[in-house]
Amino acid sequence: MTPSSAPQPAIPSDSLSAVLGQAEHVQALVDESALALSTLNSVLGQQSAQAQSQEVKQALAQSQAVEEKVQDASDKLVLVTQALEGEIKERKALDAELALVTQQEEVARYAALHDSLTGLPNRTLFNDRLEHSLAQARRHDLALAVMFLDLDGFKQVNDTYGHDVGDVVLKTIAERLKENTRNDDTVSRLGGDEFLYLLMGAADEQTVANLAQKTIHRVQLPCQLSTGNISVLTSIGISLFPRNGVTADALIKEADAAMYAAKRDRTGYAFAK
Ligand SMILES: Nc1nc2c(ncn2[C@@H]2O[C@H](COP(=O)(O)OP(=O)(O)OP(=O)(O)O)[C@@H](O)[C@H]2O)c(=O)[nH]1
C-alpha cells in the first residue's frame, strides 16, 4: 500500500547517514593535515628571520597560506557536517511520521472491512469476495453456494443474561464458524446475529446440506461461560450459483428468504426454491 497523504523524503535518511560518515572521515583527514601543517610552520617559524634563507622564507609564507586554507576548509566542513546532522534528524522524523501514517492507514483499512466484535470480514469484504468468486465461477464453470445464518432466539440470550454475555456468545460462535471454514471459503458477520458463508466449489447439493448440518451442530454446542452453559440454535438458508441467481445481491436475497423458510418450518436449513 502506498500512503497517499504521507510526505515522501527525497533521499532516505540511511543514504544521508552514509554521506555524513564520509564527511566525518574527510573532516578527520583535513584536521590531521591542518595540525601537521601548523606544527611544520611553527617549527620553521621558530628560526630567527635572519637565519632563514630566501627559499625558506618563501616556502614558509606559502605553507602558512596553505595552512590558512586548510583551516578554512576544516571550518566549512564543520558547518556542512552540522547541516547534514540537522537534515538527518529531520528525515528520521519524517520516516517515523511516514511509518505511523502507513500503520494508521492499515488499521483504518482493516476496520473498514471487518466486524469489530468478532473480527470476521464484514458485509463489504464479503460482497467483494463474492463478486470475485462469481467472476471465477463464471469463467471456470464452477459451483458456488451462499449460506445465510441467523441465530434462533438470540434476543432471549441478551434479555436473560445481558448484552455483554450476548457478545461473548456471538464471538464464540464466530470462532467456531471460522474454524469450520476452508481456505477458499469466507464467513462474515452481516450484523446482529446474522452471518454469511461463501462456499467455493460446492460440488453438489448433498455436500452443501452436509456442511449446513455440521454448522448447525457446531453452533448449538454449549458456550461455556462463567454464568453457565448457553446453547443457541441457528437457521440456515442456502442459495446456489447459478441455479438461484447469478449476482451477489440475488444470491444473498435468495439465501435470506430460504433462511426465513427454515426458521418458520423449524427445519434447520432450507435451499432456495
Ligand atoms: N449482544 C449483542 N446483541 C446484538 C448485537 N447486535 C444485535 N444484537 C441483538 O441480536 C438480536 C437479534 O434480533 P433477532 O434476530 O430478531 O432475535 P432472535 O431472538 O434471534 O429472533 P429470531 O431470529 O426470530 O429467532 C436483537 O436482540 C439485537 O439487539 C451485538 O453486537 N451484541
Side-chain angles (χ1 to χ4, degrees):
M1 180 176 33
T2 313
S4 45
S5 48
Q8 307 282 331
I11 307 171
S13 59
D14 283 357
S15 309
L16 286 179
S17 294
V19 173
L20 178 62
Q22 285 164 3
E24 282 168 348
H25 181 63
V26 172
Q27 173 90 57
L29 290 176
V30 170
D31 286 349
E32 212 178 289
S33 307
L35 184 65
L37 272 170
S38 166
T39 310
L40 178 68
N41 291 339
S42 84
V43 169
L44 287 174
Q46 275 164 11
Q47 285 188 350
S48 66
Q50 287 87 348
Q52 290 171 357
S53 68
Q54 196 53 35
E55 288 80 8
V56 169
K57 277 185 189 157
Q58 256 180 5
L60 183 59
Q62 278 174 1
S63 186
Q64 281 167 339
V66 172
E67 183 191 339
E68 274 170 30
K69 280 186 187 161
V70 172
Q71 191 52 55
D72 188 42
S74 172
D75 294 346
K76 282 183 179 145
L77 259 174
V78 169
L79 295 178
V80 168
T81 307
Q82 282 171 351
L84 257 177
E85 279 168 352
E87 185 73 9
I88 288 169
K89 217 168 148 190
E90 263 179 45
R91 290 296 158 91
K92 283 194 172 155
L94 217 56
D95 286 349
E97 196 186 326
L98 187 63
L100 185 68
V101 170
T102 305
Q103 192 199 7
Q104 284 170 342
E105 284 187 356
E106 272 167 20
V107 169
R109 189 178 137 74
Y110 185 88
L113 297 176
H114 292 82
D115 168 49
S116 59
L117 179 69
T118 62
L120 289 179
N122 62 15
R123 172 86 188 236
T124 306
L125 183 53
F126 183 86
N127 270 3
D128 194 51
R129 294 211 182 143
L130 181 53
E131 294 287 1
H132 180 75
S133 301
L134 279 171
Q136 267 189 313
R138 277 185 214 111
R139 204 175 310 130
H140 304 293
D141 205 15
L142 298 172
L144 181 157
V146 172
M147 298 205 309
F148 196 117
L149 282 76
D150 186 292
L151 303 182
D152 298 337
F154 183 69
K155 187 175 176 302
Q156 187 70 30
V157 174
N158 275 336
D159 292 349
T160 310
Y161 303 99
H163 203 269
D164 287 351
V165 170
D167 278 358
V168 177
V169 170
L170 286 174
K171 282 200 260 188
T172 308
I173 288 170
E175 206 49 53
R176 290 179 190 166
L177 293 175
K178 216 166 17 179
E179 283 165 12
N180 210 24
T181 313
R182 291 179 316 179
N183 275 350
D184 284 353
D185 299 346
T186 298
V187 62
S188 99
R189 183 179 179 219
L190 198 52
D193 61 351
E194 295 177 337
F195 299 87
L196 277 171
Y197 210 125
L198 163 63
L199 273 146
M200 282 302 286
D204 55 71
E205 212 171 284
Q206 191 53 49
T207 310
V208 183
N210 290 346
L211 185 81
Q213 196 62 63
K214 199 170 139 198
T215 305
I216 290 168
H217 173 71
R218 284 182 79 96
V219 168
Q220 73 182 36
L221 289 174
C223 298
Q224 291 165 344
L225 307 173
S226 54
T227 43
N229 287 356
I230 297 174
S231 289
V232 272
L233 300 177
T234 184
S235 296
I236 299 179
I238 305 161
S239 61
L240 301 171
F241 167 85
R243 190 201 295 171
N244 305 120
V246 291
T247 64
D249 279 352
L251 287 166
I252 293 171
K253 218 166 136 191
E254 289 298 316
D256 189 13
M259 182 277 294
Y260 274 104
K263 205 175 269 271
R264 184 194 58 221
D265 302 337
R266 297 177 188 272
T267 53
Y269 68 90
F271 282 91
K273 294 280 180 268

